[in-house]
């Protein structure tokens, strides 16, 4: 720890000795803000191996710190959960976000990127996600999230996969196994409680007619699928969509001590990233505090008292 402090101290001194950083605050809807937010959106979707993809909803804040070697973008970005699992190859633009009635999940992220040679790289992020709405406020019959270990919903999930695996054809079809349960909900439909499940499946080395110690195929060989299922009493329905073999997982672009130093010098981001876009945590949050829209983020150009301030941040809301 002491060594690290000394090391950082030396770098701080050297950084200050060079040039003081310049700080600019472009509008949150400016092309450079949109581009950086897009890079982060792609990063957060490529970097995770479980959970759902997130789509950019609003840029709340942006600050660009110019240094001789690079620009550092510090941003506050709000994302919404989509209905596409991260393993789904569909581009996030093709993925619908969950509506409030479907229990939207919002993620608020503090993000730092560097831009060198025109290339934006995410170096830090800290996200906090939670279901945005309590659906009781919206409708009486709306679904509710269940914990991902809910016994009845998991039984229904297993039963629905058995239905899918019992499909027959005159070709040899692969048997699938559950890889991840992404979302469990319950909803009262015409007086009866109904369970719903969204889950990811992976191809095994068995065919649908075999039942002999089936194990998932290698990541490079397996196809994956995303299933939605639901029940009414004992009648389970299931719908699965199979994906092409997976792309290799993109490693996080955590890198370099210099960018971290610069951020520590000017802001609050700490050295460790906290990744909490974890569906288990979503399900356990019961009471939701809706974040107040920041009152700041307006700039009066020219400073004339009779000029209406032009709001530059936060940027426009893309969904809700
Ligand atoms: C589900 O998980 C929670 C928290 O980890 C635990 O308290 C609870 O007992 C679990 N329920 C079941 C049915 O396993
Ligand atoms: C086998 O599959 C082919 C093509 O899907 C179909 O035309 C044919 O009727 C099937 N035969 C049987 C016996 O199911
Ligand atoms: C699948 O792989 C497992 C482990 O290698 C093996 O025990 C099992 O027999 C295989 N199943 C089939 C149908 O090939
Ligand atoms: C799985 O992948 C490893 C390494 O990529 C390879 O050596 C092995 O043969 C593969 N196994 C199967 C069943 O394809
Ligand atoms: C189960 O659902 C299917 C499709 O909705 C329906 O055709 C069938 O009659 C149902 N069976 C029972 C026992 O409810
Ligand atoms: C990490 O830094 C090294 C040296 O600065 C660079 O060559 C490499 O491309 C960087 N990796 C990433 C993922 O940014």
């Amino acid at each position: 720890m002491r060594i690290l402090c000394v090391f950082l101290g030396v770098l701080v001194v050297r950084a200050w000795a060079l040039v003081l950083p310049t700080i600019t605050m472009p509008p949150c809807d400016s092309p450079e803000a949109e581009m950086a937010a897009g890079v982060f959106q792609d990063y957060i979707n490529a970097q995770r191996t479980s959970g759902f993809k997130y789509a950019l909803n609003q840029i709340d804040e942006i600050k660009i710190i110019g240094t001789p070697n690079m620009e550092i973008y510090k941003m506050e970005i709000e994302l919404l959960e989509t209905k596409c699992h991260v393993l789904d190859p569909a581009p996030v633009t093709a993925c619908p976000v969950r509506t409030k009635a479907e229990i939207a999940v919002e993620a608020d992220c503090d993000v730092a990127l560097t831009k060198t040679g025109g290339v934006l790289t995410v170096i830090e992020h800290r996200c906090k996600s939670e279901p945005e709405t309590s659906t009781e406020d919206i409708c009486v019959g709306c679904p509710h999230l269940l914990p991902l270990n809910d016994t009845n919903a998991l039984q229904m999930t297993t039963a629905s996969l058995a239905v899918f695996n019992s499909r027959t054809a005159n070709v040899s079809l692969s048997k699938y196994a559950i890889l991840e349960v992404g979302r469990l909900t319950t909803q009262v439909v015409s007086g009866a409680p109904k369970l719903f499940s969204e889950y990811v499946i992976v191809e095994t080395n068995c065919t649908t007619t075999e039942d002999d110690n089936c194990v998932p195929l290698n990541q490079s060989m397996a196809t994956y699928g995303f299933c939605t299922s639901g029940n009414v009493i004992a009648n389970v329905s299931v719908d699965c969509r199979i994906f092409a073999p997976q792309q290799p997982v993109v490693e996080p672009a955590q890198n370099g001590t210099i960018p971290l130093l610069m951020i520590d010098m000017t802001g609050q981001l700490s050295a460790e990233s906290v990744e909490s876009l974890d569906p288990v945590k979503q399900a356990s949050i019961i009471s939701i505090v809706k974040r107040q829209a920041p009152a700041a983020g307006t700039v009066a150009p020219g400073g004339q008292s009779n000029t209406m301030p032009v709001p530059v941040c936060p940027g426009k809301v893309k969904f809700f």
Side-chain angles (χ1 to χ4, degrees):
M1 193 58 208
R2 274 229 334 260
I3 291 170
L4 181 66
C5 288
V6 170
F7 174 68
L8 288 177
V10 168
L11 286 178
V12 168
V13 168
R14 279 180 46 197
W16 280 105
L18 292 172
V19 177
L20 285 179
T22 60
I23 296 182
T24 52
M25 296 171 78
C28 279
D29 286 333
S30 61
E32 60 260 61
E34 290 278 346
M35 181 165 295
V39 167
F40 176 64
Q41 175 190 263
D42 293 345
Y43 169 83
I44 201 75
N45 290 327
Q47 180 239 14
R48 285 156 52 239
T49 53
S50 66
F52 293 90
K53 294 189 188 193
Y54 279 80
L56 174 64
N57 189 41
Q58 190 175 30
I59 300 167
D60 288 337
E61 227 175 271
I62 177 166
K63 182 159 72 175
I64 302 179
I65 302 148
T67 74
N69 300 324
M70 67 176 76
E71 288 180 312
I72 296 156
Y73 286 53
K74 291 193 57 191
M75 303 178 73
E76 259 181 58
I77 297 176
E78 191 189 302
L79 308 167
L80 287 172
E81 191 185 79
T82 71
K83 297 186 198 178
C84 294
H85 191 267
V86 290
L87 295 182
D88 186 337
V92 69
T93 48
C95 299
V97 302
R98 295 185 195 279
T99 64
K100 292 190 180 215
E102 292 168 324
I103 317 171
V105 177
E106 178 186 312
D108 292 312
C109 300
D110 290 324
V111 185
L113 307 95
T114 57
K115 188 176 184 184
T116 49
V119 178
L120 282 157
T121 307
V122 177
I123 54 165
E124 292 255 332
H125 73 282
R126 176 195 293 256
C127 293
K128 190 160 60 71
S129 73
E130 57 187 16
E132 203 203 28
T133 51
S134 167
T135 55
E136 279 136 13
D137 302 343
I138 297 170
C139 58
V140 178
C142 282
H144 295 274
L145 283 180
L146 291 171
L148 292 175
N149 62 357
D150 183 274
T151 310
N152 290 334
L154 288 179
Q155 271 171 12
M156 188 278 292
T157 304
T158 307
S160 74
L161 179 63
V163 170
F164 178 73
N165 275 333
S166 71
R167 72 204 187 288
T168 52
N170 56 11
V171 289
S172 174
L173 293 173
S174 294
K175 193 168 206 160
Y176 284 80
I178 294 175
L179 182 67
E180 178 197 335
V181 176
R183 176 177 265 227
L184 298 174
T185 52
T186 183
Q187 185 176 15
V188 175
V189 178
S190 48
K194 199 173 169 183
L195 298 168
F196 296 92
S197 175
E198 297 179 23
Y199 59 101
V200 177
I201 55 177
V202 57
E203 190 178 5
T204 70
N205 65 343
C206 295
T207 63
T208 50
T209 53
E210 291 167 324
D211 193 13
D212 170 31
N213 188 22
C214 308
V215 297
L217 294 179
N218 263 2
Q219 192 188 352
S220 56
M221 307 185 54
T223 57
Y224 293 78
F226 182 70
C227 302
T228 54
S229 67
N231 74 351
V232 174
I233 315 299
N235 197 358
V236 177
S237 67
V238 66
D239 178 30
C240 297
R241 190 163 45 84
I242 303 300
F243 314 142
Q246 266 316 110
Q247 309 294 324
V249 172
V250 177
E251 287 302 319
Q254 290 292 353
N255 210 357
T257 51
I258 301 295
L260 294 182
L261 161 71
M262 292 302 189
I263 290 152
D264 288 348
M265 217 164 71
T266 51
Q268 323 85 343
L269 278 187
S270 68
E272 82 276 17
S273 287
V274 180
E275 171 61 59
S276 61
L277 300 178
D278 177 347
V280 180
K281 286 177 188 149
Q282 293 164 17
S284 65
I285 295 167
I286 292 147
S287 68
I288 293 97
V289 181
K290 176 103 171 66
R291 205 165 45 82
Q292 289 270 290
T298 60
V299 165
Q304 274 161 1
S305 57
N306 62 346
T307 315
M308 282 297 286
V310 179
V312 292
C313 281
K316 65 174 179 294
V317 174
K318 294 184 194 301
F319 296 103
F320 52 79

